[in-house]
Amino acid sequence: MRILKVNTAAISTECAPQMVEKHHSEWTAEYEKKANLDNVAKDILYTTLDKNMFSKIKTCTTVKKIWEKLTQLCEGNDQTKDNKLTVAIQKFDNAKMKSGETLAEFDEWFNSIIIELIFLGKEYSNREIALKVK
């Protein structure tokens, strides 16, 4: 964890103050507590992620950066979310039971589409869903 302070040696009235890292000996008890919480959270994330995901975040220095990276990897940016929503809507619109598919299999597949749509911010009324399954 990096704690920053204003570099008083380089104060200028023309631009924003320059920041430098605060030496560990200058940390207050509050900074120590935050650093410890950051380490605890990192440890939890490190132990719960699989090797593949860990390799993608291991260079992140703070929990905030790890979380941002995980969010980007798992959710994607706005364009990715829009693309996922478009695909999910198309699946919903084209939902039909396949030949040889049981009702339970179709129900499980269809419900997964409904859950995905809800997760992406699109909800259908019970009536719309019932009409689609009909």
Side-chain angles (χ1 to χ4, degrees):
M1 181 170 181
R2 295 179 60 209
I3 306 296
L4 302 177
K5 67 178 181 177
V6 175
N7 183 0
T8 54
I11 291 181
S12 170
T13 58
E14 297 177 13
C15 60
Q18 182 185 19
M19 303 301 282
V20 293
E21 190 166 351
K22 193 179 265 197
H23 189 270
H24 194 278
S25 63
E26 299 176 280
W27 287 19
T28 64
E30 184 180 341
Y31 291 145
E32 289 284 348
K33 184 178 177 181
K34 286 180 181 179
N36 185 49
L37 288 174
D38 198 66
N39 288 333
V40 169
K42 271 195 261 185
D43 186 54
I44 291 168
L45 289 170
Y46 289 165
T47 56
T48 56
L49 295 173
D50 63 24
K51 289 178 183 179
N52 180 41
M53 205 55 102
F54 176 76
S55 69
K56 294 176 182 177
I57 59 98
K58 67 183 176 186
T59 59
C60 297
T61 55
T62 65
V63 172
K64 183 176 191 274
K65 289 180 182 176
I66 292 170
W67 192 255
E68 289 169 351
K69 183 72 169 183
L70 288 172
T71 302
Q72 177 190 16
L73 291 168
C74 296
E75 294 181 8
N77 58 22
D78 288 341
Q79 184 179 1
T80 304
K81 289 177 189 176
D82 288 344
N83 290 342
K84 286 179 181 180
L85 180 59
T86 300
V87 169
I89 290 171
Q90 287 174 347
K91 285 180 187 177
F92 178 84
D93 290 343
N94 298 326
K96 290 184 181 167
M97 199 166 162
K98 297 174 187 145
S99 178
E101 185 176 36
T102 67
L103 188 56
E105 291 169 335
F106 175 76
D107 184 57
E108 183 179 337
W109 175 78
F110 190 71
N111 281 328
S112 71
I113 293 172
I114 299 298
I115 291 167
E116 183 178 2
L117 285 164
I118 290 169
F119 178 74
L120 293 168
K122 175 75 172 161
E123 291 190 47
Y124 290 96
S125 69
N126 287 339
R127 186 179 191 313
E128 290 172 305
I129 293 169
L131 288 172
K132 185 65 190 167
V133 175
K134 186 174 149 185

